[in-house]
Amino acid sequence: MPRASRPLAEALADRVVILDGGLSNQLADQGCDLSGGLWSGRVLAGRPDQVEAAHAAYARAGAEVLITASYQVGYDAFAAHGYDRDGTTALLHRSVALAARAAEAADHEVWVAASVGPYGAVLADGSEYRGCYGRGVRELAAFHRPRIEALLAAGADVLALETIPDAEEAEALLGVLAGTGAAAWLTYTVDGPRTRAGQPLTEAFALAAGAPEIIAVGVNCCDPADVLPALEAAASVTPKPLVAYPNDGSVWEAATATWHTPPHPVPWPVEAWRTTGARLIGGCCRIGPPDITELAAGTWGGGGRH
């Protein structure tokens, strides 16, 4: 079956759509070197075949949305590694093309979501889990605008404004999208009932309630236990479809670049997420293709790293 020809928003009106899992952990499992500040962007630049293989693994597992390897690709960050502006734009375009090839080879309907990671991601110091960068809305919009323009020009089906830790950054992103006619989802990374930067989730989600470009809102890259309360907060301020793709319950320590895994699997009350309004469901860090297979089959109970 060719890549999905209808808008993702149309599918969300009918059913739950399955997202992929963590790209970085799949690349690591394929033997790729993700060390250094460019993270998965390093593989995108040096081993694009491995990125396509990772996307294909998720498509085979049943994922219906493939999220591109553009999360950590930023013009300033890549300039520090010798890439000029055209070179970075080419990598952003490549990220979409690789996911599109995997989508076109799938035997089911698949959409390509261009990842727009937060400003903190390109700093490679864990800032996406804190927010409060000391940058205003105007500065953050200036940072995101060229990345978004490049990803839209590459033909992505939808933008994944993901792992956003700060409502102020969400405001900047919404401003960049305003009037473009683009489709995007917005997901925060959260700590209990608040964004990582400390804003109440109801206020953070309310920012997107009236934005026509935003087709769904929710959370990603968070503890599974934080998902349901966050979805309930979102549902209280917007009727938009909801999104959930948490981690496996592990905690990332940026200083040592290591994950701390809980002693017992964290259950995922997927049915409760669906009842609350979740229509895009998948996994983030440390969730791999076997987990997505179980999620697509309705047998997923949580835990990750099978």
Side-chain angles (χ1 to χ4, degrees):
M1 177 179 288
R3 180 174 158 192
S5 58
R6 59 175 174 157
L8 178 59
E10 187 177 305
L12 297 182
D14 297 334
R15 61 182 180 84
V16 172
V17 174
I18 302 298
L19 298 170
D20 59 9
L23 181 61
S24 60
N25 50 263
Q26 178 59 20
L27 291 172
D29 287 348
Q30 292 172 194
C32 299
D33 183 359
L34 278 72
S35 62
L38 298 183
W39 198 28
S40 57
R42 175 176 181 173
V43 187
L44 175 66
R47 292 296 308 275
D49 59 311
Q50 290 293 323
V51 174
E52 185 175 352
H55 289 316
Y58 279 116
R60 288 193 300 272
E64 299 171 279
V65 180
L66 302 177
I67 302 175
T68 66
S70 50
Y71 176 83
Q72 204 154 8
V73 180
Y75 286 91
D76 291 344
F78 273 70
H81 288 80
Y83 288 84
D84 62 16
R85 195 169 189 83
D86 288 345
T88 301
T89 297
L91 287 178
L92 290 167
H93 288 186
R94 175 188 288 179
S95 73
V96 174
L98 294 171
R101 282 210 291 266
E104 288 159 2
D107 62 1
H108 57 278
E109 192 173 37
V110 178
W111 289 266
V112 172
S115 175
V116 180
Y119 175 79
V122 303
L123 302 179
D125 63 358
S127 293
E128 65 263 50
Y129 298 113
R130 298 190 297 272
C132 301
Y133 315 119
R135 306 271 180 176
V137 171
R138 184 176 298 179
E139 291 175 286
L140 291 170
F143 166 78
H144 283 295
R145 183 171 286 106
R147 304 167 74 211
I148 287 174
E149 289 174 347
L151 291 167
L152 289 175
D157 298 310
V158 63
L159 298 175
L161 312 179
E162 57 178 357
T163 325
I164 306 303
D166 195 325
E168 191 170 66
E169 185 163 21
E171 183 181 349
L173 287 162
L174 293 173
V176 172
L177 287 185
T180 63
W185 75 67
L186 171 66
T187 49
Y188 291 99
T189 181
V190 301
D191 186 5
R194 295 179 177 271
T195 67
R196 297 280 186 169
Q199 299 105 345
L201 284 181
T202 50
E203 295 178 11
F205 286 124
L207 289 173
E213 295 83 9
I214 301 300
I215 64 170
V217 298
V219 291
N220 80 293
C221 208
C222 62
D223 192 302
D226 287 336
V227 171
L228 184 57
L231 296 182
E232 291 171 340
S236 73
V237 295
T238 176
K240 294 179 186 289
L242 304 181
V243 192
Y245 53 116
N247 300 331
D248 70 344
S250 300
V251 176
W252 174 253
E253 183 178 312
T256 59
T258 55
W259 287 98
H260 296 281
T261 304
H264 304 290
V266 178
W268 287 26
V270 175
E271 191 54 43
W273 299 352
R274 290 172 174 160
T275 300
T276 306
R279 292 294 176 268
L280 278 168
I281 301 176
C284 202
C285 301
R286 297 174 65 80
I287 300 298
D291 304 313
I292 298 305
T293 295
E294 292 187 20
L295 186 62
T299 58
W300 170 240
R305 306 300 289 169
H306 291 184

